[in-house]
Amino acid sequence: MRLDAVAPLRTATAGWRARGERIVLVPTMGALHAGHLALMAHARTIGDRVVASIFVNPTQFGPTEDFSRYPRDVEADLALLAGAGVDAAYLPGVETMYPPGFSTRIEVADLTEGLCGAFRPGHFTGVATVVAKLVNQVGPDVALFGEKDYQQLRVITRAMRDLDVPVEIRGVPTLREADGLALSSRNRYLTPQERAVAPRLNAVLSRIAGALSAGEPATGPVAEGIADLEAAGFAPVQYLAVCDADTLAPVERVVRPARVLAAAYLGRTRLIDNVPVAPGT
Ligand code: AMP
């Protein structure tokens, strides 16, 4: 079922809810790949009804970012969603999400100050606002997000908790290519040469995670990792950091769950990735 407007969406979800069915929302920006489909598959296992949204949200792109060239392929996406057993594909237009006079924003402090937030001013405000709207429109029991966008997952979890929105936010581990590259809609921008270099990002993060869980402090492995990425051709490396898995505060020694996170450009393409670090035993 394809839906483009709030009223028919609410009719569908109200019917499911009245029958006691558990609804799972998976928000996306389309250009779907196997990583998105892993979210859909997980949604099927935890709910009775799955709603996937596709909305390329203009407010989360900066003025110099790739909003206008962001990949869009609605027909292919709808075929993939049908194959994934999704009950409703929700594709609101910009005028549905941002009607004339729209003037409300959800701003999450501290969690958004570092990492991607430092390089993408306004990005997480756009994300938190659109996710709040999607959750209010669909009324899901659970909304699923990929750990691939780890800061986004933390920001959304915090915003929904702070605003008492009755939804459970859950993260799903990152799906990767065999060589470690995290699946991303933006990977299709990469030239063959860049694609060959791209897995280095995950290799560097994994190496740092190994050193940290063996008890090393972060500074040395992080400096080596930045040098390694720059030597491989990443420019600029916007950040490479070790952060607490919940608060995203910088961490020097890992004594509770942490995350190694990075963002770096390969040519014109901005890649992000992160891996978990378990405290050593
Ligand atoms: P996007 O369309 O890029 O906004 O992504 C939609 C959702 O899919 C977000 O929650 C992402 O974190 C998630 N996602 C993107 N890539 C992956 C991946 N490789 N593995 C798991 N989830 C992903």
Side-chain angles (χ1 to χ4, degrees):
M1 176 183 5
R2 174 183 173 159
L3 300 165
D4 300 304
V6 180
L9 172 71
R10 288 209 163 121
T11 304
T13 53
W16 297 334
R17 216 168 290 115
R19 292 204 290 274
E21 293 175 331
R22 187 172 159 84
I23 301 171
V24 184
L25 169 65
V26 185
T28 82
M29 297 204 300
L32 299 180
H33 51 66
H36 295 114
L37 297 181
L39 267 63
M40 308 300 162
H42 186 65
R44 280 253 64 94
T45 69
I46 61 171
D48 304 303
R49 298 288 180 174
V50 178
V51 179
S53 63
I54 299 178
F55 180 63
V56 185
N57 175 32
T59 67
Q60 70 187 70
F61 289 80
T64 63
E65 294 182 355
D66 57 349
F67 175 68
S68 56
R69 71 181 187 113
Y70 195 82
R72 292 165 172 87
D73 194 348
V74 168
E75 293 314 313
D77 287 348
L78 290 174
L80 287 170
L81 292 180
V86 162
D87 296 282
Y90 177 47
L91 288 83
V94 173
E95 61 297 338
T96 295
M97 297 306 275
Y98 301 112
F102 184 90
S103 50
T104 302
R105 274 164 196 79
I106 295 178
E107 201 169 310
V108 180
D110 53 81
L111 274 180
T112 64
E113 275 154 26
L115 307 172
C116 287
F119 295 92
R120 305 187 70 187
H123 169 69
F124 288 115
T125 297
V127 168
T129 304
V130 82
V131 168
K133 286 179 64 76
L134 290 167
V135 165
N136 280 333
Q137 291 168 348
V138 173
D141 297 281
V142 181
L144 291 185
F145 295 86
E147 290 182 350
K148 156 86 180 0
D149 300 279
Y150 194 79
Q151 190 175 17
Q152 166 175 284
L153 171 63
R154 300 306 314 148
V155 167
I156 292 167
T157 303
R158 179 75 59 86
M160 296 299 107
R161 187 208 68 172
D162 286 356
L163 297 175
D164 303 305
V165 179
V167 65
E168 182 189 342
I169 304 298
R170 285 204 206 165
V172 176
T174 303
L175 195 74
R176 301 178 180 281
E177 303 281 6
D179 59 15
L181 177 65
L183 269 66
S184 164
S185 303
R186 290 186 169 101
N187 290 352
R188 59 184 86 181
Y189 298 150
L190 298 170
T191 65
Q193 292 81 353
E194 289 164 354
R195 174 64 188 81
V197 170
R200 197 81 214 135
L201 183 59
N202 179 246
V204 163
L205 297 184
S206 300
R207 193 181 65 209
I208 296 170
L212 288 161
S213 54
E216 277 189 53
T219 306
V222 165
E224 276 168 37
I226 292 171
D228 190 339
L229 290 175
E230 288 173 347
F234 288 85
V237 177
Q238 289 191 323
Y239 64 82
L240 174 52
V242 183
C243 296
D244 183 272
D246 286 332
T247 66
L248 301 182
V251 158
E252 180 61 10
R253 277 184 196 276
V254 172
V255 292
R256 35 168 275 111
R259 217 79 201 178
V260 192
L261 310 98
Y265 273 88
L266 253 190
R268 289 177 71 197
T269 306
R270 185 175 184 272
L271 297 180
I272 60 170
D273 199 359
N274 69 89
V275 299
V277 195
T281 45

